[in-house]
Amino acid sequence: MLRQGVIIALLGSLALLLIGSAYAQVPMASFVSDRSGDDEVHLLYDDGEIKQLTKNKAKVFIPEWSPDGTKIVFDANVRGGENFDIFVVDLTDPAKPKQSNLTGPPDGPGTKLGEPQWAPAGEPRLLLYSTGFPNADNWDIGLLTIDARGKAGALVNITNAEGEGVGQDQAGVWSPDGTKITFQSERNKINERAQMDIYIADAEKRGLGKNQINLTNHEAEDRLPRWSPDGKSVVFESKRDGNWEIYTVSIDGAVLTRITENDKDDRKADWSPGGLVFESKRDGNWEIYRSDPDGNNQLNLSNHEKSDNKPRWSAKGRRILFETRRDGKREIYLVFGDGAGLKNLTNDPGNDRDARWNPQYELRSVEPQNKYFTTLGDIKRTSLMQNFPNPFNPETWIPYYLSDAASVTVRIYNVKGELIRSIDVGRQAAGAYTTRQRAAYWDGKDDTGQSVASGIYFYQLLADDFSETRRMVVMK
């Protein structure tokens, strides 16, 4: 009995080891790269390994994961020109990925198809846009079903099923439960001029394309909607004040909330349990920002003279992938939701772009929790970040990074350049000081204890020999 117990224990340990090993090999993300000479889909692992997945020698657009993380879908023009087909790569056996063309000849629809996305639940369905749907009027959004043999079914028009969508319907996105879609449409007109607005529509089989609701109705352009995690609101970008800003709207169209308000552009928002993340040009070039869903606590997650773009949350809202040109070409970077752990994930003379998280990665990864801030690289440079909230009244937090231990002081200046407050933070270890608990705090008062007036102020970080200054606004 003792020997049998030992054998069972050993087998159990071996099983756990094998399971852990298998989970460790779950790809973290996919991306497109031209490092082999043309666009191809690649897989990225958290140990730094990168594998080329396709060899199509064609123009390729964004690869999207199935909910179970076993398949990737993308569109590519292997037939040349504008003849884009939908391809699926089956990763059930990672050692032998299988690629199939769902829509090309001889059996497929063989038409212009783009931006395929897997339904989040239920039977295999792809949301995509095309000019080739039944009853099409310009670009429409519809469905392509996949049968048990992996073959494509018929194309079904959602946004113009009954002639509702005259003009272009684009940028469709599934709701979290797969029962609805949101999209942008130019079907409304003001003074004979088409305007782009945000809509939702039913996406269930029995009511496909029904209950189309216009969530926004403005003469300025509204575009690129994305769902809130609970499916009750949609975030989008709008040019209604002259430049691009981020807004949210409830799915009945009744509650509109402005998230950003700057004289520069904010765009390409993504929403997850971690809040909102978006691109902003408020500091002179594109950088990545995050905020609470109501627009509070806006925090600059990247700070570099080169552009940072296309942020995407991980499934649990812990981390963000983004694309940057800070190394002279496009690379994929990662940063945590509080701005810590910045790391370059790809480093190649080619261009790496359009990264997408594997939705199963955070669910199946064996990364130890106590290595949350250490497994993805150290802070490589001291930097001062944008204060949050900004504008503010009466208090704000000033985040920063330290690459080495330093004595930290924060100085506040008025618009005349006069020093009005000096905050001695003290000796700080290397690390990320980006949360309310760790960032420098200013209560909006000068050195005499008087609250300052509304207006523009400047804050300066002094960390031994390092010095950097940024602007902030007090608004009462």
Side-chain angles (χ1 to χ4, degrees):
M1 292 297 294
L2 178 61
R3 180 179 297 176
Q4 182 179 6
V6 171
I7 292 174
I8 291 175
L10 289 173
L11 289 174
S13 299
L14 179 59
L16 288 173
L17 178 61
L18 291 174
I19 291 172
S21 177
Y23 280 4
Q25 293 303 309
V26 173
M28 180 167 67
S30 61
F31 65 97
V32 176
S33 178
D34 62 5
R35 59 180 64 195
S36 64
D38 58 88
D39 288 349
E40 301 293 351
V41 180
H42 292 68
L43 297 179
L44 174 65
Y45 294 81
D46 61 7
D47 63 358
E49 183 181 8
I50 292 174
K51 295 181 180 179
Q52 182 174 331
L53 186 61
T54 66
K55 295 180 180 180
N56 292 316
K57 298 187 181 299
K59 188 174 183 180
V60 173
F61 286 94
I62 304 170
E64 297 279 3
W65 292 83
S66 61
D68 63 2
T70 63
K71 296 180 178 63
I72 292 178
V73 64
F74 61 93
D75 50 318
N77 65 339
V78 294
R79 292 187 286 151
E82 297 300 317
N83 295 305
F84 281 84
D85 292 310
I86 305 300
F87 291 82
V88 171
V89 181
D90 190 328
L91 296 171
T92 304
D93 181 356
K96 297 180 180 180
K98 298 179 181 179
Q99 177 176 299
S100 59
N101 186 340
L102 283 181
T103 59
D107 300 323
T111 188
K112 297 178 182 178
L113 303 165
E115 298 184 3
Q117 301 170 50
W118 295 97
E123 64 178 315
R125 299 185 297 166
L126 294 173
L127 187 70
L128 39 81
Y129 79 97
S130 175
T131 58
F133 287 112
N135 202 36
D137 184 277
N138 208 306
W139 291 102
D140 289 324
I141 299 168
L143 285 181
L144 179 68
T145 58
I146 304 173
D147 64 23
R149 300 173 300 161
K151 301 295 183 180
L155 292 170
V156 181
N157 198 328
I158 297 178
T159 59
N160 199 32
E162 298 180 359
E164 308 95 325
V166 177
Q168 297 190 68
D169 298 329
Q170 293 176 302
V173 183
W174 291 102
S175 65
D177 62 4
T179 63
K180 297 181 183 295
I181 64 167
T182 183
F183 58 98
Q184 65 188 42
S185 176
E186 63 175 8
R187 63 188 68 180
N188 285 344
K189 291 186 179 181
I190 294 181
N191 298 325
E192 300 303 316
R193 176 179 171 271
Q195 65 183 57
M196 192 70 77
D197 290 317
I198 307 302
Y199 284 74
I200 62 173
D202 288 351
E204 292 182 289
K205 185 178 295 185
R206 292 184 177 180
L208 203 60
K210 303 294 184 182
N211 299 318
Q212 297 197 25
I213 300 174
N214 184 191
L215 299 185
T216 68
N217 189 359
H218 198 279
E219 61 183 355
E221 187 172 357
D222 299 332
R223 68 180 189 183
L224 296 183
R226 293 290 184 271
W227 291 91
S228 62
D230 62 7
K232 295 180 179 180
S233 301
V234 171
V235 65
F236 65 97
E237 60 193 55
S238 177
K239 215 169 186 179
R240 56 186 68 194
D241 73 343
N243 59 287
W244 292 110
E245 301 285 2
I246 306 298
Y247 291 78
T248 63
V249 61
S250 58
I251 60 171
D252 59 2
V255 181
L256 181 71
T257 303
R258 182 167 183 164
I259 302 300
T260 64
E261 188 169 0
N262 302 286
D263 56 0
K264 301 295 183 181
D265 289 334
D266 298 315
R267 65 180 190 180
K268 295 186 179 177
D270 191 32
W271 201 340
S272 88
L276 293 167
V277 65
F278 54 91
E279 298 178 6
S280 180
K281 212 171 186 179
R282 64 187 70 180
D283 299 317
N285 63 294
W286 292 114
E287 294 181 354
I288 307 302
Y289 276 71
R290 72 165 298 276
S291 78
D292 293 343
D294 59 4
N296 288 326
N297 300 324
Q298 295 190 22
L299 175 65
N300 184 347
L301 301 181
S302 69
N303 182 21
H304 198 273
E305 61 185 7
K306 297 295 179 68
S307 291
D308 300 324
N309 304 101
K310 300 181 181 179
R312 302 289 293 196
W313 281 111
S314 61
K316 292 185 178 180
R318 291 171 52 190
R319 320 171 215 214
I320 297 159
L321 293 174
F322 67 95
E323 186 178 301
T324 181
R325 292 182 180 272
R326 61 182 65 194
D327 299 315
K329 67 252 184 230
R330 294 182 185 179
E331 299 284 5
I332 306 301
Y333 271 62
L334 178 146
V335 68
F336 286 105
D338 64 355
L342 182 71
K343 185 180 181 182
N344 182 352
L345 298 180
T346 66
N347 189 10
D348 189 270
N351 287 290
D352 303 325
R353 59 177 175 84
D354 293 318
R356 290 293 185 270
W357 289 100
N358 177 353
Q360 292 294 312
Y361 169 69
E362 284 185 333
L363 301 177
R364 298 172 61 185
S365 173
V366 295
E367 179 190 64
Q369 294 298 309
N370 62 357
K371 293 186 178 180
Y372 185 80
F373 292 106
T374 61
T375 57
L376 294 171
D378 298 326
I379 295 171
K380 296 181 179 178
R381 66 186 182 94
T382 298
S383 59
L384 176 64
M385 312 303 285
Q386 187 65 45
N387 66 302
F388 64 91
N390 186 49
F392 68 94
N393 176 38
E395 59 186 1
T396 191
W397 285 261
I398 298 171
Y400 55 93
Y401 294 111
L402 295 179
S403 60
D404 299 291
S407 296
V408 176
T409 301
V410 174
R411 292 177 177 175
I412 312 296
Y413 297 86
N414 62 21
V415 73
K416 297 179 182 180
E418 299 169 337
L419 178 65
I420 63 169
R421 182 73 179 270
S422 182
I423 303 169
D424 183 11
V425 179
R427 189 73 179 175
Q428 299 287 308
Y433 296 85
T434 58
T435 64
R436 286 177 185 262
Q437 292 75 27
R438 307 196 76 197
Y441 170 76
W442 183 39
D443 58 7
K445 296 179 180 180
D446 61 21
D447 279 332
T448 68
Q450 298 295 311
S451 296
V452 302
S454 297
I456 297 173
Y457 294 82
F458 298 90
Y459 60 99
Q460 181 184 44
L461 176 72
L462 300 173
D464 289 347
D465 295 333
F466 175 86
S467 173
E468 187 173 345
T469 303
R470 282 178 171 256
R471 187 181 70 167
M472 58 184 169
V473 177
V474 176
M475 184 177 293
K476 298 183 177 180

